[in-house]
Amino acid sequence: MASEELAQKLQRRLQLEESGRAAEGEEVAKGEEVVAGGDGERSCLTASADAELSAKLCRRQDINEGAAQPRRAAVFNPYTEFKEFSRRQIKDMERMFRLYDSGRDGYIDLMELKLMMEKLGAPQTHLGLKNMIKEVDEDFDGKLSFRE
């Protein structure tokens, strides 16, 4: 998965930086936190990485492993949460979401995602669709909200 690859690259980079510091005689930063994982220990490296990125990577790994608790935002405002998109882009995404939300329940479930992918000309297997949902499903309900 992309998040695992990103975490591995981050770990390699941090290890290189730390070995460079150790060679120069500097102390290794004390901010490294170790969390027990499935087969061994996994470290949430926060020593020299941006703390926010590290926290997000750790949260994504926990979600992928099924160990994270769902988080719900009190109020969802896409314009303030997704600052990288313009208002027009967000409106277009909302319109497309509503177009493919045939049940009008505010979620895109497995069958709606299947129909959407077929309409877009890229049909997927059920396993592929489930994996697509699993990658972005933050509240573990098996369907996609507009925020996700």
Side-chain angles (χ1 to χ4, degrees):
M1 291 189 155
S3 61
E4 291 173 5
E5 292 173 14
L6 187 58
Q8 290 173 352
K9 287 180 181 179
L10 180 62
Q11 286 176 338
R12 275 189 247 125
R13 182 174 178 185
L14 291 172
Q15 288 171 351
L16 288 173
E17 288 177 4
E18 288 177 7
S19 65
R21 278 193 212 127
E24 295 172 4
E26 293 181 12
E27 288 185 339
V28 176
K30 296 179 182 178
E32 187 170 300
E33 178 182 318
V34 177
V35 177
D39 293 326
E41 290 186 349
R42 172 176 60 85
S43 64
C44 296
L45 298 171
T46 58
S48 61
D50 181 32
E52 184 179 359
L53 175 61
S54 181
K56 286 185 179 192
L57 279 172
C58 291
R59 169 111 176 112
R60 179 51 56 191
Q61 283 182 332
D62 290 342
I63 288 171
N64 289 342
E65 293 169 1
Q69 296 296 320
R71 271 192 313 207
R72 291 212 169 219
V75 176
F76 170 60
N77 184 352
Y79 305 110
T80 57
E81 188 165 345
F82 302 108
K83 294 176 184 169
E84 63 269 18
F85 298 114
S86 69
R87 286 186 170 273
R88 180 177 295 272
Q89 289 174 316
I90 291 174
K91 291 255 187 221
D92 289 341
M93 285 186 248
E94 270 184 309
R95 185 178 48 78
M96 293 302 291
F97 183 86
R98 285 193 306 269
L99 177 71
Y100 292 113
D101 180 20
S102 59
R104 304 283 183 241
D105 59 353
Y107 295 99
I108 292 180
D109 61 11
L110 183 72
M111 293 312 292
E112 291 169 341
L113 183 62
K114 181 181 186 316
L115 290 171
M116 180 179 79
M117 295 303 291
E118 288 173 355
K119 286 181 184 177
L120 293 173
Q124 301 287 319
T125 63
H126 282 272
L127 187 59
L129 294 168
K130 286 180 182 179
N131 285 335
M132 289 170 75
I133 290 174
K134 184 181 175 185
E135 279 188 40
V136 295
D137 188 17
E138 293 180 347
D139 55 2
F140 308 113
D141 61 355
K143 48 191 175 180
L144 304 175
S145 65
F146 178 69
R147 182 186 177 283
E148 294 169 341

